[in-house]
Amino acid sequence: MALSIIQIFRDYVTNGIPSSGNHKPAKSEIRSWGAWVESIISSFLSNGGLVYTSRAALFADLAHAANSSAWVIGDATAAYNGVYMKAGASGTGSWTRVADLPYSFVQLVDAGAGTANAIQLTSTIPTSQSVLRVANVFEANAGNVTISENGGTARPLLTNSGNQISAGGLLANMMIVYVDDGVSFRLLSDQVSAAIVAAAEGFANAAASSASDAADSAAAAAASAAGVDLPPIASDRMLVDNAAGTVRESKTFSEVRTLLSTAAFPADTGLISRSDLDRLGEVVNVADYTAQGAARTGILAAWTEALSQTRAVVFLPPGRWVIDTASLALLMDSGSAKHVTICGAGKGVTTLAFASTGNWLELGSRTTTNIGKNVTLRDLRLEPNATQSTGTAIVVEKFQYVTVKDIHIEDSRQFFKIGDPNVANDVYRMWVSGVYGKVLGSSYPTSAILLQSGSILTFDDACDFNGNGSILYLFGQENAANNFDGLTVGGITAEMFGLLNVTGKGMSNTRFHGGISDRPTNNAISSAKAVNLVPSSSGNIFNLSFVDWKFQGNAASNSGVVLNTAGAGGLIDGLSMIGCQAWSFGNQILNTDDSGAYSRVIIAGNSVWNCGYGGTPLFRVGTGKFNVYGNQGIVTGGVPGYTYGITWNGTSGGRVTGLNNFTGFTTGAELGTP
């Protein structure tokens, strides 16, 4: 039989798949189909071309010669449609159905009149057992499926192999091809493979479970036959054969873990013993050692247990753990490379509350012999148990590799004290991130974060500190015995205190980038500067830079100075302020007199708005090597008392200026000679 016209003139090489490419009809297939159609038409017309819309109408017309043929198409009874032949002379005899209508296939439509499992199809051409059916599916099935054609009797729709359709075997908008086997309809295009795979997997799982049950039964039978006395069943235990292979013992998880930690694995397995050097971190729950009312004792016990292992987590469950007798001092005297994390359930979930006097949490101690290593403090809230505290929240001494992450420090007089002032580079490599701190208390120190001695300290994004209008500076280096080498501060917010105060031995390799200092002073501490650099007579400042920083102050008099080096006795070398913004400060944005030594000072590309007050210049530059270049200073109307953009003091010693733009000053742009 010739191919159907739909197949011959299909759009794509593979029907319904555009990616297979456009289909070009073959002339041989067109000729074959045309010859087949012509033969049917010729056969039909040679006998008069009789067509009736019902069998009753055909039977009522006997005025035709013997062997005449006729078609019945459109009868409400599907079986009555077909090709008929006349028996007997004209006016007598009868009509007999001799064949199905000569259609190769019939397209049917599922318009959704039925249900997902009881499909009702309609077609413009009657169907018969000899035709191939093509139909769409309106919605996915949920179980066994029946089909009714043109209102006829519903029959089961089965798979190609004669089974029921699985749930989801027919999907919405898919096309199916099926035939009539006389009793049911049978798919030629089978159900979707996903359903088949799911069913197969279900059978496979059932088979595997059955096999496992059989194996267990066989093992039990074998054990019974061998006379093995199995221990009684108990919760949370495992069966372990002893070393001799003679007894099967019941062990707790802890006992099994101990066995594994000391086990000697065969060399060919590629495994090694789970010793103290390679075992995973253990979780030591503080709740196993104490109630919240005796938190200090329990935490110290958990810390001691953690130190007995190489890697461990000291976990504080949710709640308020009160440390009400003394500071919580966590010492690491072993000198070995431990890795211990002190972790809460979250800085809004687990709280450590400390006594109103003394330091809060101490990592290490200047009285210890060895230097501790590798400690992480995270996911906690620290606060005083009383309304205020006179101690420092976190003290770190004699420690290397310290991480402080996601800690909330509430109502502390001082956030951090880092390093022993009597030991050079006492704290080495410390990272702080996600810390929020607010000052509250009495007898405030000068700085909320005191840098006494150490190197490589990083405060990164998501840190937010609030001075609460009661403390002068966020960072301070006030130790005259040792300096601090390597401070990086990026993306933090420092609110209501000055950013940096250096009055001690000094700072080296310090970088502030991309953060905000907001309102460094208020009525209570009007003497604070945004940045105050006055190193001691023996102190030095090397490579200190401010990049893309925003300084925001108050409009009142004496509200702050961005850089203040007046009275410095040491050397300031490699100081730079590049691409920063500053506004609403009284006094100078930069003040360097001739009492200190300055080298490689760069003030470039900054925007300064409404800074300078009371007959002072915006920049006061002393003797030394300065580059004041490409800055913009703007004074708006109504702000009194400004004189010059730059006042050059002292003698010229390699000072460079250029491309500065100072607008709105009462006297002029510059005074003196660079």
Side-chain angles (χ1 to χ4, degrees):
M1 182 179 293
L3 293 176
S4 68
I5 193 67
I6 292 178
Q7 290 177 296
I8 294 172
F9 288 97
R10 62 188 181 274
D11 292 330
Y12 308 107
V13 174
T14 301
N15 195 27
I17 303 179
S19 61
S20 65
N22 295 328
H23 173 65
K24 297 181 179 179
K27 292 182 179 180
S28 59
E29 294 176 348
I30 298 174
R31 288 193 296 270
S32 176
W33 177 80
W36 173 71
V37 172
E38 289 174 351
S39 66
I40 294 176
I41 295 174
S42 297
S43 174
F44 183 67
L45 294 178
S46 65
N47 289 301
L50 303 176
V51 179
Y52 297 85
T53 58
S54 68
R55 191 182 72 167
L58 173 65
F59 283 3
D61 184 6
L62 299 175
H64 299 281
N67 298 324
S68 296
S69 65
W71 287 9
V72 174
I73 182 170
D75 197 293
T77 302
Y80 292 170
N81 296 296
V83 178
Y84 289 77
M85 178 178 289
K86 176 71 165 42
S90 178
T92 62
S94 62
W95 293 93
T96 302
R97 190 181 187 279
V98 295
D100 293 330
L101 293 173
Y103 295 108
S104 58
F105 72 95
V106 174
Q107 184 172 4
L108 298 102
V109 176
D110 180 3
T115 65
N117 297 336
I119 300 174
Q120 295 182 14
L121 301 178
T122 58
S123 65
T124 57
I125 300 174
T127 60
S128 64
Q129 190 172 349
S130 62
V131 301
L132 190 68
R133 282 113 161 127
V134 179
N136 69 298
V137 176
F138 184 80
E139 57 185 325
N141 73 302
N144 299 342
V145 178
T146 63
I147 286 181
S148 170
E149 296 179 342
N150 298 316
T153 303
R155 296 185 186 181
L157 177 65
L158 305 178
T159 67
N160 191 291
S161 54
N163 296 314
Q164 295 287 350
I165 304 294
S166 301
L170 302 181
L171 300 180
N173 300 319
M174 73 179 290
M175 299 296 294
I176 59 174
V177 179
Y178 66 98
V179 296
D180 182 357
D181 67 2
V183 178
S184 60
F185 296 122
R186 189 77 64 89
L187 282 175
L188 296 183
S189 59
D190 221 330
Q191 58 184 323
V192 293
S193 59
I196 300 173
V197 171
E201 289 176 344
F203 295 140
N205 290 336
S209 176
S210 177
S212 177
D213 292 342
D216 291 344
S217 298
S224 177
V228 176
D229 185 13
L230 295 177
I233 297 175
S235 61
D236 298 329
R237 302 180 74 88
M238 300 178 67
L239 292 180
V240 179
D241 294 344
N242 67 352
T246 57
V247 178
R248 185 159 293 166
E249 302 171 334
S250 178
K251 299 286 188 181
T252 65
F253 292 154
S254 177
E255 291 171 334
V256 172
R257 183 177 60 196
T258 301
L259 290 173
L260 290 174
S261 67
T262 58
F265 297 101
D268 58 357
T269 64
L271 300 174
I272 60 176
S273 298
R274 192 169 180 267
S275 65
D276 281 345
L277 294 178
D278 60 24
R279 56 192 305 187
L280 297 175
E282 307 294 342
V283 176
V284 183
N285 194 328
V286 174
D288 294 337
Y289 293 84
T290 184
Q292 293 185 9
R296 180 176 175 275
T297 302
I299 294 174
L300 291 176
W303 172 261
T304 301
E305 170 62 23
L307 291 181
S308 69
Q309 306 170 36
T310 299
R311 298 173 179 86
V313 175
V314 176
F315 176 68
L316 287 97
R320 193 169 190 268
W321 300 79
V322 179
I323 314 297
D324 56 0
T325 56
S327 299
L328 180 59
L330 303 178
L331 309 181
M332 187 180 285
D333 265 340
S334 67
S336 61
K338 303 292 184 180
H339 296 77
V340 181
T341 296
I342 304 110
C343 179
K347 57 186 177 182
V349 181
T350 300
T351 297
L352 284 177
F354 295 87
S356 60
T357 59
N359 297 327
W360 295 5
L361 178 62
E362 296 179 354
L363 292 178
S365 170
R366 66 188 62 173
T367 62
T368 61
T369 303
N370 298 305
I371 296 177
K373 295 181 180 179
N374 304 313
V375 169
T376 297
L377 180 69
R378 62 178 301 163
D379 299 314
L380 291 165
R381 174 186 172 94
L382 310 182
E383 66 181 24
N385 193 31
T387 57
Q388 61 182 0
S389 174
T390 60
T392 301
I394 300 175
V395 178
V396 182
E397 294 178 341
K398 276 195 171 65
F399 247 104
Q400 297 180 0
Y401 303 100
V402 179
T403 299
V404 180
K405 181 177 177 62
D406 295 333
I407 299 293
H408 184 153
I409 302 174
E410 185 74 16
D411 294 346
S412 168
R413 67 184 292 272
Q414 189 171 55
F415 303 139
F416 292 93
K417 185 183 293 182
I418 299 172
D420 182 346
N422 301 312
V423 179
N425 294 325
D426 183 55
V427 175
Y428 176 70
R429 290 193 180 275
M430 179 172 174
W431 297 269
V432 181
S433 65
V435 173
Y436 169 79
K438 188 183 79 171
V439 169
L440 180 68
S442 60
S443 302
Y444 295 101
T446 303
S447 303
I449 301 174
L450 181 58
L451 311 175
Q452 298 193 113
S453 174
S455 61
I456 311 181
L457 170 63
T458 299
F459 282 77
D460 66 10
D461 293 348
C463 287
D464 187 357
F465 299 102
N466 191 327
N468 205 31
S470 303
I471 193 168
L472 289 175
Y473 295 99
L474 177 58
F475 292 96
Q477 206 291 316
E478 302 157 23
N479 176 20
N482 291 286
N483 70 349
F484 204 96
D485 184 1
L487 171 66
T488 300
V489 180
I492 71 166
T493 299
E495 186 171 7
M496 295 186 72
F497 36 31
L499 181 62
L500 175 64
N501 178 54
V502 180
T503 58
K505 186 71 173 180
M507 302 285 296
S508 299
N509 304 311
T510 301
R511 184 172 186 262
F512 291 83
H513 63 94
I516 299 175
S517 298
D518 187 30
R519 297 177 297 164
T521 63
N522 67 2
N523 293 332
I525 54 170
S526 60
S527 61
K529 311 295 188 293
V531 175
N532 187 47
L533 304 179
V534 189
S536 64
S537 59
S538 61
N540 298 314
I541 296 175
F542 291 98
N543 301 326
L544 170 60
S545 65
F546 298 90
V547 179
D548 298 329
W549 200 274
K550 294 182 179 180
F551 296 97
Q552 302 172 179
N554 301 320
S557 175
N558 297 321
S559 63
V561 181
V562 172
L563 299 175
N564 176 48
T565 58
L571 171 67
I572 296 180
D573 186 3
L575 171 65
S576 61
M577 178 180 173
I578 300 174
C580 298
Q581 298 179 14
W583 60 90
S584 298
F585 283 96
N587 289 331
Q588 299 89 343
I589 197 73
L590 170 68
N591 181 20
T592 62
D593 67 8
D594 294 327
S595 61
Y598 308 98
S599 177
R600 297 185 302 164
V601 178
I602 300 174
I603 309 296
N606 304 292
S607 296
V608 184
W609 304 330
N610 288 344
C611 295
Y613 185 82
T616 60
L618 186 62
F619 296 133
R620 185 190 304 276
V621 180
T623 300
K625 295 181 180 181
F626 289 86
N627 186 331
V628 184
Y629 202 88
N631 300 286
Q632 183 179 22
I634 300 176
V635 177
T636 59
V639 181
Y642 298 95
T643 56
Y644 294 97
I646 303 177
T647 294
W648 299 95
N649 287 349
T651 59
S652 176
R655 302 188 299 197
V656 178
T657 183
L659 297 180
N660 296 297
N661 182 13
F662 300 108
T663 304
F665 293 86
T666 58
T667 307
E670 297 187 30
L671 174 65
T673 303

